[in-house]
Amino acid sequence: MSIQKELLLLKRDFGGAVILFVMPLILIITVTLIQDSAFKTVSDSKIPILLVDYDKGNVSKTVFENLKKSNIFTVVTKIDNKSLTETLAKDAVFKGKYQLAIIIPKKLSVDLQLKIDQNVKKITSSLGITDTIAKTKQTKILNQKEVKLYFDPAVQMSFKNAVMSSIDKMISQIETHSIYATFQDQLGDGNNSFEQKSFITFKEIIPKINDKEIIPNSAQHNVPAWTLFAIFFIIIPLSINIVKEKSQGTFIRLRTNPVSNIIVLGGKTITYLIICMIQFYMMIVVAIFLFPKIGLPSLNVEGNLFLMSIVALFSGFAAIGFGLLLGTIAKTQEQSAPFGATSVIILAAIGGVWVPVFAMSNFMQIIAKSSPMNWGLNAFYDVLLRNATFLDIVPEISLLFLFFIITTTIALLYDKKKRAV
């Protein structure tokens, strides 16, 4: 009867029930659409960058060709049919019209080659390969050359680091090529050339299941994260429901019946747990069948749906426990609703839903381990991306259920103490 009462209350608030199911679907579709480009490697959304070439030599030519071949950038050398200058490029970037400008200094190629020649001659001279006449020439002192990078102040630090690393690698390859060529020229061996390919290479080893590679995509990252977010938002209607019963006197009438408070809260727990699981399965269905229709990668749950359901179930327990505690302590809806919404956002923020935990500071990484959303998210990722078994996710789901037990117990004790007073 307690469960029937909760279902009747939800039926009377049809608009609220619809929001519980529709809003999470809109949320997961919107966020996945926005973040999908971060997981794509195709060149349909290249970033235009400004290139100012004061060098006009081999180095700038190589940089231009490498950037042009890139799947990330489109090189722009003119704005409104005007040749770029450093001032023009800097103003365009700082006004947000472009994200990046690269300024290649004058005589970069010439001075680089001269510096390499000087270093190579020192080495060959020390080995007694060159004649003594070369030693009498006065060595020209060369200052370091700077390739300037102007970034839009609004771009993320990760983008800056990635670009600077790419440019640094490109310049290093050019220097290495020049050094090999100069040594070959100094040794006077025109027939045999040095092998200039990188001796050390990198290969990503991708985990496989049934000989199929597990390649992460935006769906696998966003669906678990925002499913958890939606499940925990059950805190708001649940806490409001409890506060409303107290303010309308319904809770007092229930307590006059020969039934314990555990039965009353148990009815709420089962009812809202059903809602959480309906939310979960609706979002899974959308991720599997609707995502491909709108150009998003489909969520692959092959062989993982059962374990994902277990994670969703225990995440629902944790969310409901927090909602029961909040509803028991709060005295008005004005207290429960804002606090519930804010606390869910805070738990999501520190739990890794918005920003990956590994990108946080050491202090925040420790704090993140206390968020039930972090436990649920790690369990989802273990199942979807790390091929985990049931035993592997036992620690996370145990923490989620323990969180439910603790919050529900505190709610019962608080209610009992309040009634005793």
Side-chain angles (χ1 to χ4, degrees):
M1 292 303 295
S2 179
I3 296 173
Q4 185 177 349
K5 174 186 72 70
E6 297 299 330
L7 293 174
L8 183 61
L9 288 173
L10 288 173
K11 182 180 177 181
R12 289 176 178 175
D13 187 12
F14 181 75
V18 170
I19 290 174
L20 279 176
F21 299 116
V22 174
M23 291 306 294
L25 299 181
I26 296 175
L27 173 68
I28 195 173
I29 292 171
T30 304
V31 174
T32 308
L33 279 170
I34 293 171
Q35 295 188 356
D36 185 54
S37 59
F39 292 86
K40 290 182 178 178
T41 57
V42 294
S43 58
D44 56 349
S45 58
K46 291 186 176 182
I47 301 171
I49 62 172
L50 303 178
L51 180 65
V52 181
D53 181 12
Y54 289 131
D55 176 45
K56 309 295 182 183
N58 293 330
V59 173
S60 60
K61 182 180 178 182
T62 305
V63 171
F64 179 81
E65 290 175 352
N66 288 340
L67 290 173
K68 203 171 182 181
K69 293 176 184 176
S70 172
N71 292 325
I72 304 174
F73 303 116
T74 300
V75 181
V76 178
T77 56
K78 291 184 179 181
I79 297 179
D80 298 331
N81 294 324
K82 294 181 180 179
S83 296
L84 281 176
T85 63
E86 182 175 353
T87 303
L88 185 63
K90 180 175 68 173
D91 291 341
V93 169
F94 286 172
K95 289 179 180 178
K97 296 179 180 179
Y98 294 89
Q99 278 68 52
L100 169 64
I102 302 174
I103 315 298
I104 302 179
K106 295 179 181 179
K107 295 184 178 182
L108 177 61
S109 300
V110 174
D111 288 349
L112 173 63
Q113 188 59 52
L114 184 57
K115 185 65 177 177
I116 291 173
D117 288 341
Q118 291 177 357
N119 291 336
V120 170
K121 284 180 181 179
K122 286 181 182 178
I123 295 172
T124 54
S125 296
S126 65
L127 297 175
I129 296 175
T130 58
D131 54 26
T132 56
I133 299 174
K135 297 180 181 178
T136 59
K137 291 184 178 180
Q138 186 175 2
T139 303
K140 181 181 178 181
I141 299 175
L142 298 172
N143 297 321
Q144 283 186 318
K145 293 288 185 179
E146 290 183 345
V147 176
K148 296 180 181 179
L149 302 177
Y150 291 101
F151 288 97
D152 177 6
V155 301
Q156 296 179 342
M157 185 59 68
S158 58
F159 174 77
K160 291 183 180 181
N161 293 335
V163 170
M164 287 189 287
S165 176
S166 178
I167 299 296
D168 182 61
K169 181 180 178 182
M170 196 184 305
I171 298 297
S172 297
Q173 289 176 342
I174 295 170
E175 287 190 52
T176 303
H177 181 275
S178 300
I179 291 169
Y180 274 124
T182 303
F183 263 112
Q184 183 178 330
D185 182 62
Q186 289 290 324
L187 294 174
D189 191 356
N191 296 324
N192 298 321
S193 60
F194 291 103
E195 185 179 351
Q196 298 179 18
K197 290 184 179 179
S198 296
F199 180 72
I200 301 175
T201 59
F202 298 92
K203 181 182 179 181
E204 180 185 4
I205 306 302
I206 301 175
K208 295 181 179 180
I209 299 178
N210 299 326
D211 294 329
K212 292 182 179 179
E213 291 183 344
I214 308 173
I215 302 177
N217 56 45
S218 56
Q220 288 173 299
H221 283 268
N222 281 298
V223 172
W226 297 105
T227 297
L228 272 173
F229 192 73
I231 287 175
F232 270 80
F233 247 94
I234 207 77
I235 292 171
I236 300 172
L238 175 56
S239 60
I240 289 176
N241 182 301
I242 297 174
V243 172
K244 190 184 295 184
E245 285 185 348
K246 291 191 294 185
S247 62
Q248 293 177 347
T250 306
F251 190 73
I252 295 177
R253 291 196 296 270
L254 287 172
R255 296 296 298 129
T256 58
N257 292 314
V259 61
S260 67
N261 196 18
I262 296 178
I263 299 298
V264 176
L265 297 183
K268 295 182 184 298
T269 300
I270 295 174
T271 302
Y272 282 91
L273 198 59
I274 293 172
I275 294 174
C276 289
M277 296 309 294
I278 293 174
Q279 284 181 327
F280 168 72
Y281 287 118
M282 286 179 66
M283 297 177 88
I284 293 296
V285 169
V286 166
I288 294 175
F289 297 105
L290 181 61
F291 276 13
K293 303 292 184 183
I294 58 178
L296 293 172
S298 175
L299 179 69
N300 183 14
V301 295
E302 182 180 355
N304 295 322
L305 186 59
F306 175 70
L307 289 181
M308 289 179 66
S309 300
I310 292 177
V311 176
L313 179 69
F314 281 90
S315 298
F317 272 120
I320 291 166
F322 190 65
L324 293 175
L325 177 61
L326 178 59
T328 302
I329 295 176
K331 297 180 180 180
T332 64
Q333 296 182 37
E334 288 75 14
Q335 291 179 357
S336 63
F339 184 84
T342 305
S343 60
V344 170
I345 292 173
I346 292 174
L347 289 175
I350 66 175
V353 173
W354 294 346
V355 179
V357 174
F358 67 82
M360 300 179 184
S361 64
N362 293 333
F363 175 74
M364 287 306 300
Q365 288 184 29
I366 296 173
I367 298 297
K369 294 179 181 179
S370 65
S371 171
M373 281 202 197
N374 181 254
W375 309 333
L377 190 60
N378 283 334
F380 271 128
Y381 284 163
D382 285 344
V383 173
L384 268 179
L385 302 174
R386 303 184 182 111
N387 194 26
T389 63
F390 176 76
L391 292 177
D392 294 327
I393 63 173
V394 164
E396 286 88 358
I397 62 177
S398 298
L399 286 171
L400 289 167
F401 193 67
L402 181 63
F403 183 82
F404 166 74
I405 295 297
I406 292 174
T407 50
T408 305
T409 302
I410 295 174
L412 290 170
L413 293 176
Y414 180 85
D415 179 71
K416 183 178 180 180
K417 181 180 180 181
K418 186 174 63 175
R419 285 187 289 107
V421 174

